[in-house]
Every structure is written in structure tokens, then in C-alpha cells.
Amino acid sequence: MTEKTPTPPNRQDHHFDSSADSDEPAFDWMKPAPTTSTAASPAQKTPAQKTPATEDQVTAAGGSGAISGPSTGDAVTGGLPQAGSRADRKAAESAAEPGAPSSVATPANGAAPASGVTSGKGAPPTKAGPHFREPLPTSALHVRPPEDEVQRRNAERELAAKSKPVLPRVMQVALAVFYPVILLVLAVRAVTSPLFLWVEYNRPGFPGDGYGFSTDDRMTYGSYTVDYLGNWAGPRYLGELVNRSGDQLFKDGEVSHMADVKLVILSAFGAGILLVLLSVIAIIYLRRRSTGGVRRGFFAGSIVTLVIIIGLGVLAFLGWEQFFTEFHRIFFASGSWTFALEDTLIRLFPGQFWIDAGIVIAALVLLTAIVTMVLTWPTRKRRGLLPDDKPATNGVDGLAGTAESKA
């Protein structure tokens, strides 16, 4: 439709009535102030205007406290000026918010407010309707779990704090197991040496040879035998030896038995070297990962060594012949290690030699184990604990004791 469009003949012209202007506060200055309270007739009210009066729209005319029917809250009865209607609406909006105190219109003539409505201090707040509030995304973090769940988590946390890694414990056990074997191998190596032979053949009380070997002969032939156990030579090393008369020094059975002994001795030496290497690795690891782990491993190993040596010593003391026989049955075939009294091995290594060798081995191992146990005894200082009469001060002394017990 444009400006040149003709007006339809049947259209009625509407005349705007300024009395029905909007109730917005911007038009209050255009309205004359009414002298009496007049209520709009239902016919003049639009559907949007037919809203029930709120508590803030209570009339104050003569203190009667009556609500003047359905009203928009623009006019308050009782002769109040029209300009106050905007303040009333602001008060009603603030009262609708949660926690805001309700405002009640006070009559202009100072009369008491309507019954059931109070003003001034002590006025009860208006109860706002229920409002939906969306919980914050982190609101679940503030919810405490059940008490049994809390206790279970605390127990698991304490258990994890007190528990120790498995590998350091394995290293300590390995060190305790390897230590007695290493000591036994070292003691056997000390016995199978020319030095021990010389001490044995020259000590007072050692039985002589009834078939003609002197001390020098024993020392010479015995040194060949000991050297054979530690070198990589074959059986010919002993099989080709001859005595003063030119006869074969060792019989074939003796050479075969010494070959078996050499296999056992070299195997023991190889196992000892391997255990020494593993023990060095365990020591390095424990020094870096476990405070006092090396000390605990050697202490446990010394106890195990003492138990083994004491047990074997008791068995040997109760019956040396039986002990010697059972020992040979473990490593050698039956019948391959028994010889006559005139055979060279018996003349060089009589029964007293093996008794003395067993005593020396047990003494060396026992003495080393005792020294190790004394040096690694778990004193309070080595364990990082303070004396009973010295209270702890900020844990400084305890940390110093722990640092000292790393070895």
C-alpha cells in the first residue's frame, strides 16, 4: 500500500483517545493527577491488563488496606500522586527477587497500614516462589563420599605409602643367599694352594709317609696335583708324572678321579665368580635404591652362613668318616674315589690332611661371617633412629642417621 492508494470507502476512521495511553512511566507526565480513586471498568481493560494485584499494590486510602480490584499497579488509591506508581513497581520487582525484603506502601496521611501488612523495621520478608538453579559443573566435587568409602581410601593410601618395592627385597635376599656360597668357594680356594700344602707338611704332628716320601717329595708331587686343579691342562698333566725310580706316579684310577675333582673345583670357582658379579650388581643397585639394603643383605647372609657352618661342623664332629663318605657320594660315582694305602693320592693326602682342610675352611668362613655380622649389626644409629633420651628435632637427626646407614 502506498501513499497514492485510495482510501477504501467502507473504512472507519479511528480517533485515538489519549486517556487510554500506555501505563509506562514515560507517559505519567501527560496524565492529570486524579483526586479520587477510580477503577477502570472491565470493558476498558485489555486481557494484558487483567492481572491480579500484588502485595506491593496495596492501597493505603484511609488505612483500610483494601485492594482496589484488578489493577496494573499504576495508580494507588488514597489520593497519592500518580508519580509514585513507578516507585511502587520498582519495589514490587525487587520484592520478587530472592532475599529482597518486601516493600509496603505507607499511607500519605500517616495512618496505620492495612491489616496483616506491616511496615518499617521488623517487617517479615516476602517469600519468593521456587526458582530453578542449575548446579555448577564442579558441584559434585564438594559432595563427601560415604564414610566407609573414605576409610577404605585412607587404608589403601597408607598401605601404598608403607609398602616397599619388590626388587630391592629380591636383591637383599639374593645377596644373603650368595654370600655363604661365595665364602665357601673362597675358603676352598685358599685350601687348594701351595701355601696350605707347605703349612700342612711342615706343621708339627702331621703324619709322615710310611712308604718313603719325604717332606720335599710330598711338597713337589703335591704341588703338581694342586696346580692341575687350577689350570686348563688335561689328564696327561698327572698321567705322565714319574717317581724317582721312573715308574708312573699316579695310576689310571687316580688320574681319572683327579679329573673329576678338577671338574667339580672349576665348576665351583666359576659359580663363585658368577655369584660375585651378581652380588656386585646387587650392591650397586641397593646403594642407589634402598637405604641400608646392602647392610641388611650382608647381615642376613652372615646369619645364614653361621647356621650352615655350625650345622656342617656338628655333623662332621659327630661322625667324620660318615660325613666324608656322604660328601664324596654327592659329587663322585661310587667306587671311583676309594684307593689303597700305598697309592700316591693317599700318601700325599692322608686322612689328617682332609680333617685339617675342613677345619681351616670352617674357621675361615666362620670368622668372616662373624666379622660381617658385627660390622652390619642393625644398631639404632645404622637404622637411622635416635637414642631414647634424645627427642627428634624436625627430622634432621633422623635424616642424618639414614644417610649414614646407606652403606
Side-chain angles (χ1 to χ4, degrees):
M1 179 180 291
T2 61
E3 296 179 354
K4 297 181 180 182
T5 304
T7 303
N10 55 352
R11 190 184 71 174
Q12 298 180 0
D13 294 334
H14 296 278
H15 300 281
F16 297 96
D17 189 3
S18 61
S19 61
D21 286 341
S22 172
D23 292 333
E24 292 296 325
F27 298 93
D28 287 349
W29 62 275
M30 300 176 60
K31 299 179 182 179
T35 56
T36 59
S37 176
T38 57
S41 61
Q44 294 177 353
K45 291 292 182 178
T46 61
Q49 294 173 334
K50 294 180 181 181
T51 57
T54 61
E55 225 177 57
D56 295 15
Q57 298 169 351
V58 178
T59 60
S64 60
I67 300 177
S68 59
S71 173
T72 60
D74 294 336
V76 179
T77 60
L80 292 178
Q82 186 67 21
S85 61
R86 183 176 183 182
D88 294 341
R89 284 195 298 274
K90 292 292 184 180
E93 292 176 0
S94 61
E97 297 178 0
S102 61
S103 60
V104 181
T106 305
N109 55 2
S115 60
V117 180
T118 59
S119 62
K121 295 182 179 181
T126 303
K127 294 183 179 179
H131 295 276
F132 175 77
R133 290 181 180 272
E134 183 178 0
L136 296 176
T138 59
S139 60
L141 298 177
H142 302 283
V143 179
R144 182 177 177 83
E147 189 64 26
D148 55 350
E149 182 67 16
V150 174
Q151 294 179 359
R152 185 184 65 81
R153 293 180 182 179
N154 292 338
E156 291 180 354
R157 190 179 299 109
E158 293 178 359
L159 182 61
K162 293 180 180 179
S163 62
K164 297 182 179 180
V166 178
L167 188 56
R169 292 179 176 272
V170 173
M171 290 294 182
Q172 293 180 22
V173 173
L175 191 61
V177 173
F178 297 162
Y179 189 63
V181 179
I182 293 174
L183 291 183
L184 286 173
V185 172
L186 292 177
V188 170
R189 183 66 185 89
V191 169
T192 56
S193 64
L195 177 61
F196 179 75
L197 287 179
W198 184 87
V199 172
E200 276 293 294
Y201 292 149
N202 292 276
R203 76 170 181 86
F206 189 80
D209 179 32
Y211 295 93
F213 281 166
S214 63
T215 303
D216 292 338
D217 294 338
R218 279 183 165 180
M219 189 66 197
T220 301
Y221 301 144
S223 297
Y224 276 104
T225 307
V226 171
D227 291 341
Y228 173 73
L229 296 177
N231 59 30
W232 298 100
R236 293 177 57 185
Y237 186 85
L238 294 180
E240 295 179 352
L241 292 177
V242 295
N243 54 21
R244 292 178 182 273
S245 61
D247 298 331
Q248 186 178 0
L249 184 63
F250 296 99
K251 297 179 180 180
D252 293 340
E254 295 174 297
V255 174
S256 177
H257 175 65
M258 291 306 298
D260 296 338
V261 173
K262 181 176 183 175
L263 179 61
V264 173
I265 293 296
L266 291 181
S267 300
F269 290 167
I273 295 174
L274 178 61
L275 293 182
V276 168
L277 295 177
L278 295 178
S279 299
V280 171
I281 295 174
I283 291 172
I284 295 175
Y285 177 83
L286 291 175
R287 286 183 63 86
R288 294 182 178 180
R289 298 291 183 177
S290 178
T291 302
V294 178
R295 175 182 53 79
R296 290 190 292 268
F298 278 119
F299 181 75
S302 62
I303 295 178
V304 174
T305 304
L306 291 177
V307 172
I308 294 176
I309 292 301
I310 292 175
L312 294 177
V314 170
L315 294 177
F317 179 77
L318 294 178
W320 169 255
E321 294 294 336
Q322 183 68 24
F323 177 80
F324 188 78
T325 302
E326 296 297 332
F327 175 81
H328 278 75
R329 286 179 179 176
I330 296 175
F331 299 100
F332 309 110
S334 179
S336 63
W337 51 272
T338 55
F339 306 99
L341 294 177
E342 63 272 12
D343 291 340
T344 304
L345 287 179
I346 302 300
R347 295 168 62 185
L348 293 177
F349 308 106
Q352 187 62 42
F353 176 88
W354 298 112
I355 294 176
D356 294 343
I359 292 175
V360 171
I361 291 174
L364 291 176
V365 175
L366 187 65
L367 180 62
T368 307
I370 291 176
V371 172
T372 304
M373 185 175 62
V374 172
L375 294 177
T376 59
W377 189 273
T379 60
R380 295 183 62 86
K381 183 178 180 180
R382 291 171 182 165
R383 292 164 58 191
L385 301 178
L386 296 175
D388 296 335
D389 56 347
K390 185 177 181 181
T393 56
N394 297 331
V396 177
D397 296 336
L399 293 177
T402 303
E404 293 178 359
S405 63
K406 268 193 172 184

